[in-house]
Amino acid sequence: MYSFMGGGLFCAIVGNILIVVSTATDYWMQYRLSGSYAHQGLWRYCMANKCYMQTASIAYWNATRAFMILSGMACFAGIMAGILSFAHFSAFERFSRSFAAGIMFFISTLFVLLAMAIYTGVTLSFLGKRFGDWRFSWSYILGWVAMLMTFFAGIFYMCAHRMYESRRVVGSR
């Protein structure tokens, strides 16, 4: 049980770091514009070695930002519940912290998936036609890796919960 929780906690911490880095960095997409390379993130775009804030309030950027921030918060809450699940207090016998941590990691996974799906869909349908020479970049890829890490953290914590519940049921007989 503790090995599942440890593995889940490791995946969750790595996933949360990747969510923060992916959200904060400016390399979601790279493209060639007027003969020079440019790149953009969720908050800024950079051209000719100068970066500018994304001032346009475009719905898909706002939705992607919001879902990435919510994902980071849900993952952090899951990490806190995951750490607390190592300590078993009799007052919390009816409340399984490992189950709560697993649910928070699955919620984080859902939010990252929504953010990445929105960004991917709009980029491919709109920006992909506008710019001829473009590609997704490393910040975008970190978002997908973060989704996998939070998903596996949820799986690990659900396995730990099942092991704890099966031991508790066998022990009460």
Side-chain angles (χ1 to χ4, degrees):
M1 175 176 76
Y2 289 113
S3 60
F4 279 124
M5 290 181 354
L9 198 58
F10 174 77
C11 287
I13 290 170
V14 170
N16 204 21
I17 290 169
L18 294 178
I19 289 169
V20 170
V21 170
S22 174
T23 305
T25 54
D26 300 329
Y27 285 89
W28 279 61
M29 188 172 92
Q30 291 179 320
Y31 49 91
R32 184 182 292 270
L33 188 65
S34 302
S36 66
Y37 285 104
H39 55 89
Q40 73 178 28
L42 299 177
W43 310 98
R44 300 186 315 167
Y45 64 95
C46 301
M47 296 184 302
N49 296 326
K50 291 185 182 178
C51 294
Y52 309 95
M53 293 301 294
Q54 301 272 21
T55 56
S57 181
I58 299 174
Y60 88 95
W61 275 331
N62 292 337
T64 304
R65 291 174 190 155
F67 282 128
M68 290 299 283
I69 290 169
L70 287 172
S71 174
M73 291 175 13
C75 189
F76 184 75
I79 290 170
M80 292 296 109
I83 290 171
L84 290 174
S85 69
F86 280 99
H88 296 289
F89 298 115
S90 61
F92 295 117
E93 193 170 310
R94 301 191 80 167
F95 176 72
S96 173
R97 279 170 251 124
S98 60
F99 182 77
I103 293 298
M104 292 308 293
F105 296 138
F106 286 136
I107 290 170
S108 178
T109 300
L110 176 66
F111 285 151
V112 173
L113 179 64
L114 288 171
M116 300 307 288
I118 290 168
Y119 189 85
T120 303
V122 173
T123 301
L124 290 176
S125 65
F126 176 69
L127 295 177
K129 296 174 184 173
R130 186 173 169 199
F131 299 107
D133 186 18
W134 69 276
R135 65 185 174 112
F136 291 116
S137 194
W138 60 268
S139 297
Y140 172 82
I141 294 167
L142 287 182
W144 284 111
V145 174
M147 186 198 72
L148 290 173
M149 296 302 281
T150 57
F151 177 74
F152 286 121
I155 294 290
F156 283 140
Y157 267 91
M158 287 302 172
C159 290
H161 170 70
R162 291 281 294 180
M163 287 182 71
Y164 176 72
E165 286 298 313
S166 65
R167 285 184 183 170
R168 194 176 71 138
V169 169
V170 169
S172 66
R173 289 185 184 174

